[in-house]
């Protein structure tokens, strides 16, 4: 144990007592140029993100003002982390929680929220602010319709920024001993960058306030050119907007960087590989921005940013190679043949398979676990058949034996041996007749199984390679 390890805190009565006072760690294995890059680990909050801080402050204010009363319902529009924080704090105080979440958010966040007892309503992520199905508009409408509901509205709630004036800013100042030349944050609701910037300026700091913005968000353009940047889509969650939230004071920001999804995700993955820190996608955007700033400096300086939340909430996305390939974000070599459509290749171990001697029960469990509707059947390294859901249904309905006996049947009794195979060098057009027969395309290189192509794979390939 290090002699410099911090003293352990005393036992507390509630996880809420552990919010804040998060540790700070220096980046030592990634190139930061002449600068020191310090990461404040907001992922160490009990709810797993920096949003725990604002949940306490906003609900305290709502209770003081009488907007939220016993038996009431907390309603909020959220990318997930504010919802987790409000559920953590709100449920501990006896409130019901209803959350409206855009449908691009990770399934881990949604499952986490529902497990904590939140009522989660998914809405469209492809509509602009002002559309009735935009998440803030939908949340406000629901709150007006529910007796005793309180719409938190983190995007215009001044307690959002105040939480960071009271806690995050002072902690950063204390942990750096006032030695801070740049502070990097994103804008989701705007409270973090606004609150920390206000505190730093209040204590006389000259630190540059840097906005980390995803490409596709309009906010970097407002900072750098005075006009909104190009509006587009991006996969990073929790930061970036096509409007300026009321909570955000843009006049406090000195400079902005626009970070592509691929750079943000690559940075998050590099952070895990080199520093051992599991961070989410928005943290990748922040740290990529901080690294750009650090590498531009010609003399030693200190930059501070956040690990906003834990990457455990993004294992199905940021840390999933197949998902990245589906989004066109993974680094992959294109061959100009059908293999370009196959993100899950058999030779890499990406494809879930079964053997002809496996039971249907085993095959079905693998299909469910991998969320696929068909399994290649491999024997001695060769493709000998394919099993899909219709094959299973056919077996279930063909005789009078018990359910247990049906699932104990070998895969060989149910699999399809008449395979629609294509050679990897065949053109895209060769897929259409296969799909017209309502089959999945099985791609071979000679006799070697390469992988499967579905209609969705073809559509995704055409969408990404227009």
């Amino acid at each position: 144990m290090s002699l410099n390890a911090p003293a352990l805190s005393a036992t507390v009565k509630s996880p809420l007592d552990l919010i804040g006072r998060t540790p700070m760690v220096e980046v030592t294995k990634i190139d930061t140029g002449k600068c020191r890059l310090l990461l404040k680990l907001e992922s160490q909050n009990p709810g797993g993100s920096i949003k725990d801080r604002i949940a306490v402050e906003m609900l305290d204010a709502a209770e003081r003002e009488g907007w939220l009363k016993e038996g009431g319902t907390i309603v909020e529009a959220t990318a997930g982390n504010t919802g987790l924080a409000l559920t953590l704090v709100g449920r501990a105080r006896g409130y019901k929680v209803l959350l409206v979440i855009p449908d691009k958010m990770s399934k881990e966040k949604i499952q986490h929220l529902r497990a904590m007892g939140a009522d989660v309503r998914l809405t469209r992520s492809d509509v602009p602010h002002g559309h009735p199905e935009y998440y803030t508009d939908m949340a406000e409408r629901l709150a007006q319709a529910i007796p005793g509901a309180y719409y938190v509205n983190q995007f215009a709630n001044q307690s959002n920024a105040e939480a960071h004036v009271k806690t995050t800013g002072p902690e950063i100042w204390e942990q750096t001993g006032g030695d801070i030349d740049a502070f990097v944050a994103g804008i989701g609701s705007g409270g973090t960058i606004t609150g920390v910037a206000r505190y730093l300026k209040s204590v006389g700091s000259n630190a540059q306030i840097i906005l980390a913005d995803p490409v596709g968000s309009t906010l970097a353009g407002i900072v750098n050119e005075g006009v909104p940047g190009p509006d587009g889509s991006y996969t990073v969650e929790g930061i970036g907007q096509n409007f300026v939230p009321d909570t955000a004071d843009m006049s406090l920001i000195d400079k902005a960087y626009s970070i592509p999804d691929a750079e943000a995700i690559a940075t998050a993955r590099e952070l895990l590989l080199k520093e051992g820190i599991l961070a989410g996608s928005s943290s990748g955007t922040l740290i990529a921005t901080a690294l750009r700033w650090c590498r531009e400096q010609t003399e030693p300086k200190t930059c501070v940013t956040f690990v906003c939340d834990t990457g455990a909430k993004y294992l199905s996305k940021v840390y999933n190679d197949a998902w990245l390939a589906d989004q066109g974000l993974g680094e992959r070599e294109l061959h100009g043949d059908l293999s370009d459509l196959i993100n899950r290749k058999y030779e890499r171990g990406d494809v879930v398979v079964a053997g002809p001697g496996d039971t249907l029960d085993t095959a079905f469990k693998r299909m469910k676990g991998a969320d696929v509707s068909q399994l290649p059947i491999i024997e001695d390294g060769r493709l000998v058949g394919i099993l899909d859901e219709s094959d299973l249904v056919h077996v279930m309905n063909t005789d009078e034996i018990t359910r247990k006996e049906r699932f104990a049947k070998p895969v060989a009794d149910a699999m399809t041996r008449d395979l629609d195979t294509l050679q990897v060098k065949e053109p895209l057009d060769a897929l259409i007749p296969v799909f017209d027969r309502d089959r999945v395309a099985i791609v071979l290189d000679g006799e070697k199984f390469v992988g499967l192509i579905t209609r969705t794979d073809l559509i995704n390939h055409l969408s990404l390679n227009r």
Side-chain angles (χ1 to χ4, degrees):
M1 186 181 202
S2 170
L3 296 177
N4 297 320
L8 293 172
S9 60
T11 302
V12 297
K13 296 289 187 182
S14 164
L16 305 189
D17 297 326
L18 299 173
I19 294 173
R21 305 297 297 172
T22 54
M24 187 177 282
V25 63
E26 182 173 353
V27 171
T28 59
K29 296 180 176 65
I30 298 175
D31 175 21
T32 60
K34 295 180 177 293
C35 298
R36 295 176 75 213
L37 175 55
L38 307 179
L39 308 180
K40 190 160 172 60
L41 303 183
E42 291 299 298
S43 54
Q44 300 300 304
N45 281 302
S49 86
I50 194 170
K51 299 297 188 177
D52 286 6
R53 297 175 183 268
I54 69 171
V56 172
E57 188 70 23
M58 291 189 301
L59 294 185
D60 281 350
E63 290 171 339
R64 281 196 309 269
E65 299 296 330
W67 298 325
L68 186 58
K69 299 178 180 178
E70 185 177 350
T73 300
I74 297 166
V75 179
E76 182 58 328
T78 170
N81 283 326
T82 301
L84 287 165
L86 288 169
T87 305
L88 175 72
V89 179
R91 297 287 289 175
R93 297 183 183 184
Y95 300 114
K96 297 185 285 293
V97 181
L98 187 155
L99 303 170
V100 180
I101 298 182
D103 56 16
K104 77 172 184 176
M105 299 310 155
S106 70
K107 64 182 181 182
E108 289 92 345
K109 284 183 184 177
I110 295 166
Q111 290 166 345
H112 191 170
L113 287 165
R114 286 177 170 153
M116 292 174 71
D119 179 356
V120 176
R121 310 288 179 89
L122 295 179
T123 191
R124 294 169 60 182
S125 57
D126 61 344
V127 292
H129 183 57
H131 189 283
E133 291 186 66
Y134 190 73
Y135 68 142
T136 55
D137 297 84
M138 184 172 172
E140 185 172 9
R141 191 168 64 250
L142 285 169
Q144 291 170 352
I146 299 171
Y150 167 60
Y151 177 37
V152 178
N153 193 8
Q154 60 180 311
F155 299 93
N157 192 319
Q158 295 309 307
S159 295
N160 181 343
E162 187 61 23
H164 299 292
V165 174
K166 289 181 177 179
T167 67
T168 321
E171 289 174 29
I172 290 171
W173 191 249
E174 177 185 340
Q175 288 169 304
T176 60
D179 179 16
I180 174 172
D181 299 293
F183 167 69
V184 176
I187 290 179
S189 59
T192 302
I193 198 166
T194 300
V196 173
R198 282 177 180 165
Y199 178 82
L200 291 176
K201 292 183 185 300
S202 76
V203 292
S205 172
N206 292 318
Q208 275 193 290
I209 307 302
I210 309 293
L211 172 64
D213 208 35
V215 169
S217 168
T218 64
L219 301 176
I222 293 172
V223 173
N224 293 333
E225 284 88 36
V227 294
D231 187 12
S233 61
Y234 45 91
T235 62
V236 167
E237 299 180 25
I239 58 172
Q241 296 291 357
N242 59 6
F243 68 101
V244 177
D246 292 343
T247 309
D249 185 347
M250 304 298 281
S251 69
L252 297 171
I253 303 171
D254 299 301
K255 186 176 183 179
Y257 292 77
S258 291
I259 305 295
D261 282 333
E263 183 180 350
I265 289 169
T267 301
R269 292 175 69 124
E270 183 182 19
L271 185 72
L272 178 58
L273 284 172
K274 294 185 177 178
E275 303 287 343
I277 298 172
L278 183 60
S281 57
S282 61
S283 303
T285 304
L286 269 59
I287 296 164
T289 295
L291 289 171
R292 284 197 193 184
W293 184 89
C294 286
R295 292 165 183 168
E296 289 172 0
Q297 306 311 305
T298 57
E299 57 187 56
K301 292 182 179 180
T302 299
C303 179
V304 174
T305 191
F306 298 115
V307 172
C308 309
D309 66 352
T310 170
K313 300 173 183 176
Y314 307 88
L315 294 177
S316 64
K317 289 190 170 186
V318 175
Y319 299 95
N320 179 347
D321 291 341
W323 181 87
L324 293 178
D326 286 342
Q327 305 302 310
L329 296 172
E331 293 184 9
R332 56 185 305 217
E333 182 182 354
L334 295 178
H335 301 280
D337 57 29
L338 292 180
S339 68
D340 294 342
L341 283 70
I342 303 172
N343 293 327
R344 295 157 182 83
K345 290 188 168 69
Y346 174 66
E347 66 179 2
R348 292 200 309 250
D350 297 338
V351 182
V352 178
V353 301
D358 288 329
T359 66
L360 292 178
D361 185 54
T362 296
F364 179 57
K365 286 176 178 174
R366 288 180 187 172
M367 291 166 74
K368 283 202 304 181
D371 193 24
V372 296
S373 58
Q374 63 276 314
L375 284 184
I377 309 305
I378 304 292
E379 184 175 35
D380 298 329
R382 292 182 64 251
L383 181 75
V384 295
I386 193 163
L387 181 77
D388 66 21
E389 291 168 339
S390 62
D391 297 322
L392 289 171
V393 170
H394 181 69
V395 170
M396 296 303 108
N397 288 323
T398 53
D399 50 45
E400 299 301 322
I401 62 176
T402 66
R403 182 179 302 173
K404 182 177 180 180
E405 288 172 319
R406 289 172 183 171
F407 276 99
K409 282 176 173 285
V411 166
D413 284 4
M415 71 185 191
T416 299
R417 299 174 188 272
D418 179 20
L419 304 178
D420 282 301
T421 63
L422 297 172
Q423 287 297 313
V424 71
K425 297 299 183 183
E426 293 190 52
L428 285 184
D429 289 348
L431 294 168
I432 304 305
V434 177
F435 296 152
D436 284 344
R437 293 193 297 274
D438 202 26
R439 298 286 192 94
V440 61
I442 301 163
V443 180
L444 304 178
D445 186 359
E447 293 189 357
K448 186 171 67 173
F449 175 52
V450 180
L452 304 177
I453 299 176
T454 66
R455 290 185 181 89
T456 300
D457 294 326
L458 175 59
I459 295 167
N460 192 57
H461 176 76
L462 296 174
S463 172
L464 293 173
N465 298 280
R466 296 176 188 177

